[in-house]
Amino acid sequence: MKIVLLGYMGSGKSVVGRALAEKLQLVFLDLDDEIKVQEGRDIPEIFKTLGEIYFRRKETEVLQSLLNSDKDFVLSLGGGTPCYGKNLQLIKNSGETTLIYLKTSLEELKKRLWREKGTRPLIQDLGSPEVLEDFIRKHLFERNFYYNQSDLIILTDRKEIGEIVAEIQQELS
Ligand code: S3P
């Protein structure tokens, strides 16, 4: 069984993924972390020195090799992963994979991401919460087309991590 979590930056993919993997006794993998390890530098550094196109290529390469492996896992994608190249098709075509969208409201994403934007290359230079909100709104409009092709959509607003995990487990059973 391979469980793949997607959603916008700040939707809780990593923290939910880790908790879900623990519950299901599966290995947890985070695509950004896998890229970081392979490249020997963190994501903002890769964007800065090698550019986004390089990052997107690497992202596809690492995703493909994880999907090709025989191992079972819970994998958290980056927010943009399903929206580039053939990534979404790669996931959907690889058997035994359940794709889950963690859907968080614009209002909640704005709150979370304004606090954390320093570590995120795509938004770190946005100057005010209002500009950030416009950016996320436009991005979600473009990305929802991909996100909505998931097998399962879980709303995350006002839910504890444990509640989200329990809801996913129930849907999977
Ligand atoms: C990105 C999201 C990030 C990371 C990169 C690009 C995006 O991952 O992959 O900064 O395009 O939305 P998280 O969603 O885990 O923050």
Side-chain angles (χ1 to χ4, degrees):
M1 173 168 46
K2 288 180 171 54
I3 296 175
V4 180
L5 297 183
L6 64 77
Y8 201 70
M9 288 178 276
S11 60
K13 300 179 295 290
S14 302
V15 63
V16 170
R18 198 176 294 281
L20 180 66
E22 204 178 314
K23 274 273 176 217
L24 300 175
Q25 298 193 311
L26 289 172
V27 170
F28 171 68
L29 299 169
D30 182 294
L31 190 60
D32 279 346
D33 287 345
E34 297 296 310
I35 297 169
K36 247 188 258 178
V37 169
Q38 287 203 15
E39 288 293 303
R41 47 185 131 188
D42 64 20
I43 306 298
E45 189 64 22
I46 298 172
F47 268 71
K48 206 166 123 202
T49 55
L50 299 163
E52 181 171 358
I53 292 176
Y54 178 90
F55 171 79
R56 296 297 173 193
R57 285 202 176 156
K58 192 74 202 171
E59 185 176 44
T60 298
E61 192 185 303
V62 176
L63 174 68
Q64 194 151 26
S65 77
L66 292 175
L67 292 172
N68 285 343
S69 80
D70 303 330
K71 292 186 207 127
D72 290 344
F73 52 67
V74 175
L75 170 68
S76 293
L77 303 179
T81 316
C83 316
Y84 287 88
K86 295 198 167 63
N87 294 349
L88 184 62
Q89 282 321 310
L90 284 176
I91 300 165
K92 292 193 80 71
N93 293 342
S94 85
E96 299 284 304
T97 300
T98 305
L99 188 56
I100 303 174
Y101 173 18
L102 296 184
K103 185 169 184 170
T104 308
S105 68
L106 174 62
E107 194 52 37
E108 186 61 34
L109 289 171
K110 179 180 85 171
K111 261 195 275 173
R112 291 186 199 170
L113 291 173
W114 181 250
R115 286 194 304 258
E116 305 166 5
K117 75 184 181 82
T119 57
R120 302 182 190 265
L122 292 178
I123 57 173
Q124 64 190 3
D125 296 329
L126 302 180
S128 71
E130 292 72 30
V131 173
L132 174 64
E133 181 174 350
D134 287 345
F135 180 91
I136 300 170
R137 184 182 294 108
K138 178 173 180 290
H139 233 177
L140 282 177
F141 179 74
E142 295 158 358
R143 290 181 169 189
N144 269 331
F145 169 76
Y146 301 94
Y147 292 170
N148 283 329
Q149 295 183 51
S150 300
D151 301 308
L152 203 59
I153 298 178
I154 302 285
L155 304 178
T156 68
D157 281 17
R158 290 176 297 279
K159 289 180 190 158
E160 301 286 339
I161 308 299
E163 269 179 276
I164 299 171
V165 168
E167 205 174 315
I168 295 174
Q169 274 192 290
Q170 197 176 6
E171 293 283 353
L172 292 177
S173 63

